[in-house]
Amino acid sequence: MCGRTACTLAPDEVSRACSYRSRGGQRRQPRWRDGDADKYRPSYNKSPQSTSPVLLSQRHFDKDAPVDECVLASMRWGLVPAWFKEDDPRKMQYSTSNCRSENILEKKSYKSPLNKGQRCVILADGFYEWRREEKSKQPFFIYFPQTPSGSSQEKTEDQDDLATSAQSKETSERACSAEGGAFDSTEEGEAPCEWTGWRLLTMAGLFDCWTPPGGGEALYTYSVITVNASPNLQSIHDRMPAVLDGEEEVRRWLDFGEVKSPDALKLLQTKNSLTFHPVSSLVNNSRNNSAECLQPVDPGCKKKCDI
């Protein structure tokens, strides 16, 4: 499952971090949908019902746009089906923050968006998961290795880098108070610079658009698709988000014009491509939102101190 994430980049950094290549091979940087950069709030501790950055095809908003043109949008976590009849989405009686890949075609809430091509990619620094222990639960932060080969030594360095990066995130948060528009692409369609910061986790999801029965602003919401946990994560939890590893998988998941649903579903595989480290129980309370939430800790420290 996936019930808590972190996404700490400023809006313009999110745009730079998820640049992509078009079908013609040109590198592009997705713009934010009008007004959505202001709706997004960086956070070290995002829970369902919060708003997250989501990548999707621009054609969902502009039917004349190329289907492989991507756009960033702010969407609420927890899919509200378009057919939901109540006047308040909080009246939903069931949770839709996660969607099991095995059940997509069996659930009306997910089958309809899938058939409409409403596929999206949820962006995050990583996600939190809890491992049950004798008298408590130990939280872990799970994310893409930040080096190509991901050896044990490199993973340790990643963790140190993450701690250092977390301490400096206040600067990024201050930057978020400014208008967060994406950089323009050059005339050739190339992004102005290559992103060398934190590699964002790219999770497969489905989205829908709900409008109040009596009229009003449309609400865009999403669900994270989950699969069986990879071997290295099974000791923590038996489920994990369906991770899209690399630009090509992201492109194929979003390109609903070229890649039809049956082929897109084949991308939802268990992948042993994530790393993790234990974090403080501070993250257990979703109101706690500081860099300390994702900093590595020694899980044995408390036990030793209690002796």
Side-chain angles (χ1 to χ4, degrees):
M1 63 177 293
C2 178
R4 206 75 65 78
T5 65
C7 193
T8 62
L9 298 183
D12 66 307
E13 293 176 315
V14 173
S15 179
R16 291 163 55 200
C18 57
S19 65
Y20 64 97
R21 289 195 181 278
S22 66
R23 285 181 181 174
Q26 294 176 321
R27 179 157 293 282
R28 298 187 179 278
Q29 188 170 300
R31 294 178 178 273
W32 282 88
R33 183 169 173 255
D34 289 347
D36 276 19
D38 296 329
K39 297 177 183 177
Y40 160 62
R41 293 290 181 271
S43 174
Y44 298 95
N45 197 354
K46 283 184 174 291
S47 58
Q49 309 308 313
S50 64
T51 301
S52 296
V54 171
L55 190 67
L56 68 161
S57 171
Q58 172 66 21
R59 186 173 287 189
H60 292 296
F61 304 113
D62 178 3
K63 297 195 181 301
D64 294 326
V67 73
D68 64 328
E69 181 179 334
C70 293
V71 64
L72 283 164
S74 291
M75 294 190 186
R76 202 184 77 167
W77 188 0
L79 188 144
V80 179
W83 47 262
F84 186 64
K85 300 301 183 183
E86 297 287 349
D87 59 356
D88 188 339
R90 290 174 295 184
K91 294 180 180 179
M92 284 186 60
Q93 299 295 312
Y94 52 94
S95 172
T96 55
S97 56
N98 288 170
C99 164
R100 295 176 69 94
S101 62
E102 304 92 324
N103 299 339
I104 286 180
L105 296 176
E106 301 172 9
K107 304 287 185 179
K108 181 182 177 182
S109 298
Y110 307 125
K111 182 178 180 179
S112 179
L114 179 68
N115 289 339
K116 293 177 183 177
Q118 292 173 187
R119 309 193 300 252
C120 64
V121 174
I122 298 94
L123 304 167
D125 295 9
F127 70 99
Y128 299 99
E129 194 54 85
W130 283 257
R131 181 175 68 194
R132 292 184 180 275
E133 299 186 343
E134 288 185 6
K135 298 181 180 180
S136 62
K137 292 182 179 181
Q138 172 60 52
F140 290 83
F141 187 61
I142 305 171
Y143 49 97
F144 272 138
Q146 299 300 301
T147 53
S149 58
S151 67
S152 299
Q153 179 179 357
E154 288 167 331
K155 288 178 182 178
T156 301
E157 292 170 354
D158 288 342
Q159 295 170 11
D160 293 338
D161 290 344
L162 181 60
T164 302
S165 174
Q167 292 170 354
S168 64
K169 285 294 181 182
E170 303 302 326
T171 303
S172 292
E173 289 182 335
R174 287 195 296 271
C176 293
S177 61
E179 184 176 354
F183 293 104
D184 290 335
S185 296
T186 64
E187 292 181 3
E188 293 77 21
E190 296 294 320
C193 59
E194 182 179 354
W195 175 251
T196 57
W198 187 261
R199 181 190 176 192
L200 289 178
L201 188 63
T202 43
M203 300 174 283
L206 295 172
F207 76 93
D208 212 343
C209 178
W210 174 82
T211 303
E217 184 179 358
L219 175 67
Y220 284 87
T221 58
Y222 71 86
S223 180
V224 176
I225 300 173
T226 66
V227 294
N228 289 325
S230 58
N232 69 324
L233 297 180
Q234 287 176 357
S235 64
I236 301 176
H237 200 276
D238 62 349
R239 303 289 293 181
M240 66 179 286
V243 174
L244 300 167
D245 193 356
E247 285 188 25
E248 180 60 16
E249 289 196 1
V250 169
R251 185 195 71 78
R252 289 182 59 77
W253 179 252
L254 296 182
D255 194 343
F256 66 93
E258 179 182 86
V259 184
K260 302 305 179 184
S261 295
D263 289 328
L265 291 176
K266 295 176 183 177
L267 294 168
L268 306 179
Q269 302 293 330
T270 297
K271 297 183 178 72
N272 203 40
S273 57
L274 303 182
T275 188
F276 59 88
H277 62 254
V279 294
S280 167
S281 59
L282 188 71
V283 76
N284 293 359
N285 188 331
S286 61
R287 289 189 295 252
N288 293 329
N289 180 18
S290 69
E292 189 178 349
C293 287
L294 47 70
Q295 290 178 347
V297 299
D298 178 1
C301 178
K302 185 178 184 302
K303 296 177 182 178
K304 293 177 182 177
C305 293
D306 290 342
I307 295 177

